[in-house]
Amino acid sequence: MQTHPTVTSSSSPSCPSLLFHSKRQIFQPRNLFSLRGTSPYTPRLMASISEIGLRIPKAVTGSSSSSTTAENGFSTLIEYVGKGGIDAGDDLIVLIHHIQYACKRIAALVASPFNSSLALNTPAAPAGASDRDAPKPLDIVSNEIILSSLRKSGKVAVMASEEDDAPIWISDDGPFVVVTDPLDGSRNIDASIPTGTIFGIYKRLVELDHIPREEKAILNSLQSGTRLVAAGYVLYSSATIFCTSFGSGTHAFTLDHSTGDFILTHPSIKIPPRGQIYSVNDARYFDWPEGLRKYIDTVRQGKGKYPKKYSARYICSLVADLHRTLLYGGIAMNPRDHLRLVYEANPLSFLVEQAGGRGSDGKHRILSIQPVKLHQRLPLFLGSPEDIEELESYGDVQQKVNPGYEV
């Protein structure tokens, strides 16, 4: 029987080797490091799609000017970001290429049977931080993977991460600023609950180039969400989904493990104007303010503006809860001052708005809030526009008292 070479990850000294033994390699190295979308697996992939009768969206088959897309009937992420969809420009294409590569490495790490051994090297929580917010080993490794990819891209001036106390200045001439939550939901990873990576991309503020490096790194990272050039999340679940927007709609790409390509599977996502699902930690019902309790009581009894009873669906993984909300409608929320404006609320609100939804803190549009601190926290409500409007009409929906939590 033919054997395949061992694939080893060396992203971090603390990261164990990741071994894959299968009849088919998960990633083809030449595809990972090339902007080309072609692959020897393409004919077999398209034959398989044809055999099961899967209908490829029109937007995939007809809108791309890429010869690869035209010939094979599908579009990769890099093809779409280039000439197939938005023509983003070479710098941004290169940056997205490196971000997607980092996320493929994280996806492999998350799915590896060896990731649990990282728990043996759990670092101590920073002074003043709760155990819930203590960095997990996988968070740290994921952060290092993303930082390494951004450095290699040559297109990033500064990276600000939820895992770092301060932004990291990378290059004086990098045209972009990247903010990121490297591994959202990682505390649930031992139970194989979906996790995700969140990122936002801004242009470097060239007018600040003359000030000291530390100061300009912070100011570049505290840009308003209205200035986002692009944003996205990557969902690590039964499939690996790269959902992104460049200001012209929200689109999702699914990782094909046989080729290593992200393939456009959800072009131009449109969140339903109203859903029938709310996502929140119901166990904290008695800690909620009166307005939020009234809203939830009303919609789950079918007595709201939408005369059907709402269902509760709560994964406790922000990326997973939002992904479902984008597809089915409704609201994904955390009413506490818990989620971070820079790394989570702004990028995800940008995606939701580009899909026709809304992002709110319960009173204000998220993207209109000017960050004043790098790790600034706030309540977050994301979802269908009519559902968010109805929620806000109840007034008192922000949970300001947090018994049982250390924040």
Side-chain angles (χ1 to χ4, degrees), residues 12 14 121 123 135-145 163 182:
S12 166
S14 63
N121 300 312
K136 310 299 187 297
L138 282 173
D139 292 289
I140 295 172
V141 175
S142 298
N143 196 54
E144 292 173 353
I145 289 172
E163 301 304 323

Side-chain angles (χ1 to χ4, degrees), residues 287-302:
D287 299 334
W288 292 345
E290 183 179 358
L292 183 57
R293 288 202 307 270
K294 283 184 176 179
Y295 169 75
I296 294 296
D297 288 343
T298 300
V299 297
R300 65 185 176 190
Q301 293 178 72

Side-chain angles (χ1 to χ4, degrees), residues 182-376:
L183 193 60
D184 174 74
S186 61
R187 70 183 181 194
N188 295 320
I189 203 165
D190 289 341
S192 296
I193 291 173
T195 54
T197 293
I198 303 169
F199 66 89
I201 301 173
Y202 298 91
K203 290 183 178 178
R204 185 184 94 244
L205 299 173
V206 294
E207 60 270 28
L208 302 179
D209 285 351
H210 65 285
I211 67 177
R213 178 172 292 181
E214 182 177 337
E215 185 179 350
K216 67 182 177 183
I218 292 175
L219 292 177
N220 270 283
S221 304
L222 293 179
Q223 296 186 57
S224 165
T226 57
R227 300 177 67 97
L228 278 163
V229 173
Y233 63 76
V234 181
L235 174 66
Y236 310 115
S237 185
S238 56
T240 300
I241 309 289
F242 193 114
C243 184
T244 187
S245 176
F246 300 87
S248 57
T250 297
H251 316 279
F253 302 76
T254 302
L255 181 62
D256 172 18
H257 289 281
S258 69
T259 66
D261 291 319
F262 280 104
I263 306 299
L264 179 61
T265 51
H266 299 76
S268 301
I269 295 172
K270 297 297 181 186
I271 190 170
R274 183 178 287 277
Q276 203 177 336
I277 297 173
Y278 70 88
S279 177
V280 68
N281 184 359
D282 267 328
R284 297 293 170 177
Y285 175 88
F286 295 103
D287 299 334
W288 292 345
E290 183 179 358
L292 183 57
R293 288 202 307 270
K294 283 184 176 179
Y295 169 75
I296 294 296
D297 288 343
T298 300
V299 297
R300 65 185 176 190
Q301 293 178 72
K303 296 180 178 179
K305 294 182 179 179
Y306 187 57
K308 289 189 177 181
K309 294 181 180 180
Y310 278 44
S311 297
R313 298 286 187 273
Y314 183 57
I315 302 172
C316 193
S317 173
L318 179 58
V319 169
D321 281 316
L322 175 62
H323 185 68
R324 182 197 56 248
T325 303
L326 272 179
L327 298 181
Y328 302 152
I331 302 183
M333 66 182 98
N334 189 327
R336 297 187 296 125
D337 284 323
H338 179 70
L339 296 172
R340 291 163 176 84
L341 174 59
V342 172
Y343 313 111
E344 297 166 316
N346 269 338
L348 297 183
S349 293
F350 182 80
L351 287 172
V352 170
E353 286 198 6
Q354 287 296 317
R358 291 183 57 195
S360 171
D361 70 349
K363 295 181 178 179
H364 311 101
R365 178 191 180 212
I366 291 292
L367 297 184
S368 69
I369 300 172
Q370 174 60 51
V372 294
K373 294 189 298 184
L374 200 59
H375 298 284
Q376 182 176 340

